[in-house]
Amino acid sequence: MIDGTMALAVGGLFAIGFYLMLQRSLMRIVLGFILLGHGTNLLLLVAGGTPGRPPVPTGTTDASARTADPLPQAMALTAIVITFGLTAFLMALAYRSWRLSGHDEVHDDVEDRLIGTARERADAGPESGRDEGGSESGRDKGGPAAGRDEAGPAPDRDDGGTAPGEAR
């Protein structure tokens, strides 16, 4: 009975932790990470077997059946230290984000969205958004070349904004 209860507890901690980590609030992400750490610690301690057995053999002939396995306990202690360090780091990041923006909401990454739309246009092929000659028809969809004139890309600039050959 206790194994089923512990399995439900570990599964519940993992499920709630993953659910919270998929949210947009940084504090919910940190709380989800903490729950995942607790679930991992509980899983490691459950894997150690029946509690209360001595870690050192007592001198009987069947000593292996009466000793505890110290490896899950050592791994649980290591997991506690790692979880604490990462939680402190995530809390510092969440606090910095809150101080800079006034809320803990994760913003969309504009560059990631541009890469995604460029990939979708490339996967769609020439039939979507291009006429028979292969040129773009209609409005530009905001790709990296949006806002440039028809003459082509801007000249290469070096040395603080002057074109090659120009005097400062």
Side-chain angles (χ1 to χ4, degrees):
M1 179 63 187
I2 192 142
D3 291 335
T5 305
M6 293 305 255
L8 277 173
V10 169
L13 286 172
F14 277 132
I16 295 170
F18 279 122
Y19 174 75
L20 288 174
M21 286 187 75
L22 293 174
Q23 304 297 315
R24 295 181 66 94
S25 170
L26 289 176
M27 283 310 297
R28 287 184 181 207
I29 292 171
V30 171
L31 289 174
F33 182 77
I34 291 170
L35 286 178
L36 281 177
H38 288 308
T40 303
N41 294 335
L42 188 60
L43 178 67
L44 288 171
L45 290 177
V46 167
T50 307
R53 294 183 295 172
V56 179
T58 59
T60 61
T61 58
D62 192 18
S64 65
R66 297 196 173 136
T67 59
D69 186 12
L71 185 63
Q73 296 171 6
M75 291 177 68
L77 286 174
T78 305
I80 289 169
V81 171
I82 291 170
T83 301
F84 178 73
L86 284 175
T87 300
F89 178 68
L90 289 173
M91 291 287 285
L93 288 178
Y95 178 72
R96 185 177 193 290
S97 175
W98 178 74
R99 291 285 290 179
L100 290 176
S101 64
H103 54 84
D104 68 342
E105 187 93 4
V106 177
H107 296 290
D108 287 339
D109 187 12
V110 177
E111 292 297 321
D112 189 35
R113 201 175 273 194
L114 287 176
I115 290 170
T117 57
R119 184 177 298 139
E120 288 172 4
R121 286 188 298 215
D123 289 343
E127 61 273 357
S128 67
R130 297 191 180 271
D131 59 9
E132 295 164 357
S135 63
E136 187 77 26
S137 64
R139 301 175 59 189
D140 191 9
K141 295 181 179 143
R148 291 195 180 145
D149 57 352
E150 295 296 316
D156 292 330
R157 302 227 176 233
D158 58 358
D159 300 328
T162 59
E166 288 183 348
R168 289 186 181 200

